[in-house]
Amino acid sequence: MSGRRAALKAIDWVSFAERVPPNQKSLFNALKTRSDGLAARLASLPEKPATIDWSYYRRAVAKSGLVDEFEKKFAALKVPEPVDTQTSKIGTQEQEASKSAVAYIQESKARIDVYEKELEKFKNMIPYDQMTIEDLNSVFPETKLDKVKHPYWPHKPIAEL
Amino acid sequence: MLSRLVFLPASALKSSGSLGAGLVQAGRCLHTSPQTQAPVPPLPEKSGKVRHGFIPEEFFQFLYPKTGVTGPYVLGTGLTLYMLSKEIYVINHETFAALSVGAVLIYAVKKFGPGIAAFADKLNDEKAAKVQEVKDVAVKSLTQAIDDEKKEQWRVEGRNMLFDAKRNNVAMLLETNYRERLHMVTNEVKKRLDYQIQLQNLHQRLEREHMVDWVEKNVVKSITPQQEKESIAKCIADLKVLAKNTQAKASL
């Protein structure tokens, strides 16, 4: 009897939908339709089954002991609850997702640091019209001409002019 | 001229130490004080102001306190007259060549100068704009990337909702299954009881019909042939009377 009344958590589908990235929208829609279908099925079934009017049947059926026997057996019958096999699996999935989420957030933070460093470099750069070639080479090392490898002007292969 | 060396960074000086014998020896380090490590001041946009194309404005300002506005012009006129009269400058055919060339040059510069200057400025501006655009695009894309990363982090926080939804689904399935089972049990019991009642009804009906048939059969059997003949004769007499009545009604 303990597992039967597992309260259904109210899910805010709107805010859930906001957090879904665009490439997983179809999966989200499939999940939502499935959940809605299940909810509809659940709502269509009444909670308690229809009660059997034993007195009417006792009067109507001629056989004497039949109705009483049925009533006794019916009251003694216990319908077994269906066994829950999936919840533990969902729990392990959730933990794995948490771990991978933490790892992803770390990587994301590292990426943000790299981007912010680049942004600082651009923000603190001196304006182009006050730069000399040395300043340009210090800000953008890829513009430095290799005078050792190509000692003669233009200090880079002709194809790259 | 040496003053311009102040503006060059120290590394360039060191590398050009092998030039100019009149300059310092290679071993000594020049320009190491913090004053010379300062960043280069920006280049001025326009050159110094000049009057008449080649005389700096500072010369006029220099003479202004002592000789006023006309000072430099009087000086110039006096010097020219002195040179001509004392024949320090001799007028010959080269003078006229110089004057003609000078006239043409001045005309050309005055006519085409601004246009060419604007063209050169435009070239420069285009280069500057291109480089600036590179910088702007880079800054924009970096800020965009940072925003996207933050958004993705926010999205990750919502991952629990997925598992809540899954658990809900499982619970709903279980509950539905249980209720279906209950309903099935009740329905089956009801069906069995109803079957019994239907069976009883059927029995009663069959008995009733059988009894009626039996009673009918006995009654028919009990009618004697004499009674039958009498009843048939009476029926025929009744029919004749009826026929006569209807014929009378029809002829009326």
Side-chain angles (χ1 to χ4, degrees):
Chain A
M1 217 51 171
S2 59
R4 209 205 139 164
R5 284 291 111 196
L8 292 174
K9 215 161 149 185
I11 297 183
D12 188 0
W13 289 102
V14 174
S15 64
F16 190 6
E18 274 175 20
R19 298 208 192 222
V20 170
N23 61 347
Q24 293 174 5
K25 276 252 179 307
S26 62
L27 298 174
F28 172 73
N29 286 339
L31 176 72
K32 183 152 201 301
T33 41
R34 217 167 20 166
S35 302
D36 289 343
L38 285 176
R41 246 179 74 191
L42 185 68
S44 70
L45 292 173
E47 198 178 314
K48 296 228 174 297
T51 48
I52 302 180
D53 193 359
W54 294 108
S55 47
Y56 164 71
Y57 282 114
R58 225 190 300 273
R59 276 183 284 117
V61 176
K63 281 215 195 84
S64 53
L66 189 74
V67 175
D68 294 328
E69 208 178 310
F70 270 37
E71 195 179 352
K72 221 171 22 179
K73 288 228 176 82
F74 184 73
L77 179 69
K78 247 182 81 69
V79 180
E81 290 169 19
V83 180
D84 182 5
T85 52
Q86 302 296 328
T87 312
S88 57
K89 280 196 212 153
I90 294 179
T92 44
Q93 274 183 356
E94 193 172 3
Q95 275 167 0
E96 279 174 24
S98 284
K99 267 209 293 272
S100 69
V102 164
Y104 177 77
I105 289 186
Q106 297 279 55
E107 285 174 16
S108 180
K109 288 213 168 98
R111 274 197 290 266
I112 287 187
D113 282 338
V114 166
Y115 293 150
E116 280 192 344
K117 254 212 301 273
E118 293 265 328
L119 204 59
E120 282 304 308
K121 179 182 97 165
F122 273 107
K123 285 216 162 81
N124 296 344
M125 205 167 75
I126 56 180
Y128 284 112
D129 43 5
Q130 291 178 24
M131 267 193 204
T132 64
I133 295 293
E134 281 91 5
D135 291 333
L136 181 69
N137 291 346
S138 65
V139 175
F140 300 111
E142 61 266 16
T143 52
K144 197 163 163 62
L145 294 171
D146 193 352
K147 302 218 170 151
V148 173
K149 194 164 163 213
H150 304 99
Y152 299 107
W153 184 86
H155 304 293
K156 52 177 158 177
I158 298 288
E160 286 181 22
L161 261 181
Chain B
M1 182 200 70
L2 279 177
S3 61
R4 279 198 220 125
L5 289 175
V6 167
F7 291 112
L8 284 176
S11 56
L13 267 183
K14 279 201 209 127
S15 63
S16 61
S18 58
L19 299 173
L23 294 176
V24 297
Q25 270 124 334
R28 261 194 247 159
C29 279
L30 261 196
H31 297 284
T32 46
S33 71
Q35 234 177 356
T36 47
Q37 307 286 5
V40 178
L43 290 172
E45 279 285 317
K46 302 240 175 279
S47 52
K49 286 196 88 36
V50 285
R51 270 211 223 183
H52 306 295
F54 67 102
I55 310 168
E57 186 68 34
E58 286 85 1
F59 183 65
F60 290 81
Q61 299 305 324
F62 172 65
L63 289 178
Y64 179 79
K66 290 282 192 251
T67 55
V69 180
T70 52
Y73 296 106
V74 171
L75 177 64
T77 314
L79 273 176
T80 323
L81 283 175
Y82 167 66
M83 306 270 267
L84 284 172
S85 69
K86 290 286 248 188
E87 294 253 320
I88 296 173
Y89 176 70
V90 178
I91 293 186
N92 51 13
H93 55 284
E94 296 286 345
T95 312
F96 291 98
L99 283 173
S100 327
V101 169
V104 169
L105 270 179
I106 289 171
Y107 171 75
V109 165
K110 281 233 179 320
K111 188 97 192 290
F112 303 114
I116 296 178
F119 174 72
D121 282 344
K122 195 157 71 80
L123 288 178
N124 234 15
D125 286 340
E126 275 170 15
K127 281 192 208 156
K130 225 177 1 172
V131 163
Q132 186 66 22
E133 192 190 320
V134 163
K135 179 178 169 186
D136 286 342
V137 162
V139 164
K140 201 152 63 88
S141 69
L142 281 175
T143 38
Q144 180 72 24
I146 291 179
D147 285 339
D148 284 341
E149 289 287 335
K150 293 219 168 88
K151 190 138 194 254
E152 289 301 312
Q153 283 184 5
W154 173 75
R155 283 223 172 106
V156 165
E157 286 168 22
R159 69 188 179 278
N160 286 329
M161 291 201 233
L162 170 66
F163 298 107
D164 287 340
K166 278 191 173 180
R167 273 192 281 257
N168 266 13
N169 281 3
V170 168
M172 280 198 282
L173 267 175
L174 293 176
E175 179 72 19
T176 318
N177 203 348
Y178 182 68
R179 284 188 197 177
E180 273 176 3
R181 289 183 189 180
L182 281 178
H183 286 288
M184 194 175 69
V185 163
T186 322
N187 285 350
E188 286 294 311
V189 168
K190 238 201 189 121
K191 268 198 306 204
R192 302 241 186 302
L193 288 171
D194 285 339
Y195 169 74
Q196 291 294 326
I197 292 180
Q198 292 295 330
L199 200 62
Q200 275 171 206
N201 288 352
L202 180 70
H203 267 285
Q204 283 173 358
R205 191 162 58 86
L206 280 177
E207 285 172 5
R208 221 188 350 253
E209 279 181 7
H210 184 257
M211 186 104 71
V212 165
D213 278 340
W214 185 81
V215 165
E216 244 186 73
K217 231 188 330 191
N218 277 2
V219 164
V220 165
K221 242 193 303 191
S222 70
I223 297 177
T224 60
Q226 175 64 22
Q227 275 179 322
E228 201 164 338
K229 261 200 221 127
E230 280 181 13
S231 58
I232 286 177
K234 185 142 192 316
C235 289
I236 291 173
D238 280 338
L239 275 169
K240 277 202 185 122
V241 171
L242 267 171
K244 237 194 274 167
N245 283 352
T246 47
Q247 257 184 346
K249 278 207 189 106
S251 64
L252 266 176

